[in-house]
């Protein structure tokens, strides 16, 4: 997807990807190759990407062993990685943080989230029935909680300490909106460019 001559290449693992995520990355100068849900890290790596993306998707993240293994390999190599929704949960599982089925899932386009790094509130679009364990996340020395859902205080975003890896539980690509969280795509591209400069 996108222009083959684009300055940035992204390998995207498709576990239910939305086209507007791809559009948002293309809009920011990325060329993306989308890989099937059961792809191995070596297959993604063969594309020689500058960064990796694990997509959104439906259902329970725990059975997605192949996706968790891909995430573990990316993390082990300290490569840029962004996860959205189901991808966020896969990233948590790859770090030994469990997930659980929520009593009431988050569905809708008006969910309030607080960015703990900036102190700003965001109105977000959400569509998920599973969440990551907050206590385990707080106790994980490698993980920092970056976003919380203000209605029920569930974890809405995390990043890894000392690695270019982060994820959010909600949908920054939501169309027709809200667009409060589109900055996350800019953040990902900035991380990829920075990582590319360091390695070149």
């Amino acid at each position: 997807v996108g222009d083959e001559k684009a300055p940035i290449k992204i390998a995207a693992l498709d576990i239910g990807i939305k086209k507007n995520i791809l559009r948002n990355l293309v809009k920011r100068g990325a060329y993306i190759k989308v890989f099937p849900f059961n792809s191995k890290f070596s297959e993604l790596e063969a594309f020689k990407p500058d960064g990796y993306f694990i997509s959104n998707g439906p259902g329970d993240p725990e059975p997605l062993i192949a996706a968790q293994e891909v995430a573990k390999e990316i993390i082990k190599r300290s490569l840029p990685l962004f996860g959205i929704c189901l991808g966020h949960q896969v990233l948590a599982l790859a770090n030994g943080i469990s997930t659980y089925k929520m009593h009431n899932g988050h569905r809708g386009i008006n969910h309030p989230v607080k960015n703990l790094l900036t102190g700003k509130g965001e109105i977000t679009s959400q569509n998920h029935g599973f969440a990551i364990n907050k206590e385990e996340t707080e106790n994980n020395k490698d993980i920092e909680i970056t976003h919380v859902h203000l209605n029920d205080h569930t974890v809405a975003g995390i990043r890894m300490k000392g690695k270019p890896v982060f994820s959010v539980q909600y949908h920054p690509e939501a169309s027709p909106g809200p667009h409060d969280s589109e900055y996350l795509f800019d953040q990902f591209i900035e991380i990829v460019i920075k990582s590319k400069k360091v390695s070149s």
Side-chain angles (χ1 to χ4, degrees), residues 23-190:
R23 290 190 199 105
N24 268 283
L25 292 169
V26 167
K27 192 165 73 174
R28 290 164 173 82
Y31 176 54
I32 307 122
K33 185 169 183 178
V34 181
F35 291 82
F37 77 99
N38 58 352
S39 301
K40 293 180 171 64
F41 172 74
S42 57
E43 295 172 82
L44 276 69
E45 188 185 32
F47 180 55
K48 294 186 167 48
D50 304 302
Y52 294 83
F53 175 77
I54 301 181
S55 83
N56 61 292
D60 185 349
E62 274 194 34
L64 299 175
I65 303 302
Q68 292 169 42
E69 289 305 317
V70 168
K72 284 176 185 175
E73 290 296 326
I74 296 167
I75 290 164
K76 190 163 77 178
R77 290 164 171 78
S78 294
L79 300 168
L81 172 61
F82 180 25
I84 286 177
C85 193
L86 189 59
H88 162 78
Q89 295 162 13
V90 164
L91 203 154
L93 287 165
N95 278 285
I97 296 165
S98 66
T99 58
Y100 64 93
K101 185 169 175 57
M102 305 166 78
H103 180 66
N104 291 309
H106 292 161
R107 320 282 177 192
I109 59 168
N110 61 349
H111 287 258
V113 162
K114 184 176 181 180
N115 182 327
L116 300 178
L117 306 177
T118 64
K120 290 181 178 177
E122 299 169 24
I123 299 303
T124 67
S125 174
Q126 303 203 9
N127 187 19
H128 61 99
F130 287 78
I132 74 172
N133 185 297
K134 189 176 187 182
E135 189 179 349
E136 290 175 20
T137 309
E138 288 170 339
N139 292 333
N140 189 309
K141 61 179 174 39
D142 298 320
I143 300 288
E144 178 182 9
I145 297 174
T146 57
H147 298 76
V148 291
H149 194 295
L150 291 177
N151 287 350
D152 59 9
H153 306 290
T154 50
V155 179
I158 57 173
R159 69 177 179 184
M160 293 197 69
K161 296 171 184 175
K163 289 182 186 281
V165 174
F166 72 105
S167 63
V168 290
Q169 181 60 77
Y170 50 96
H171 288 274
E173 83 292 342
S175 184
H179 300 137
D180 296 19
S181 310
E182 268 195 8
Y183 70 88
L184 291 161
F185 291 107
D186 299 320
Q187 191 173 300
F188 179 48
I189 296 299
E190 283 166 21

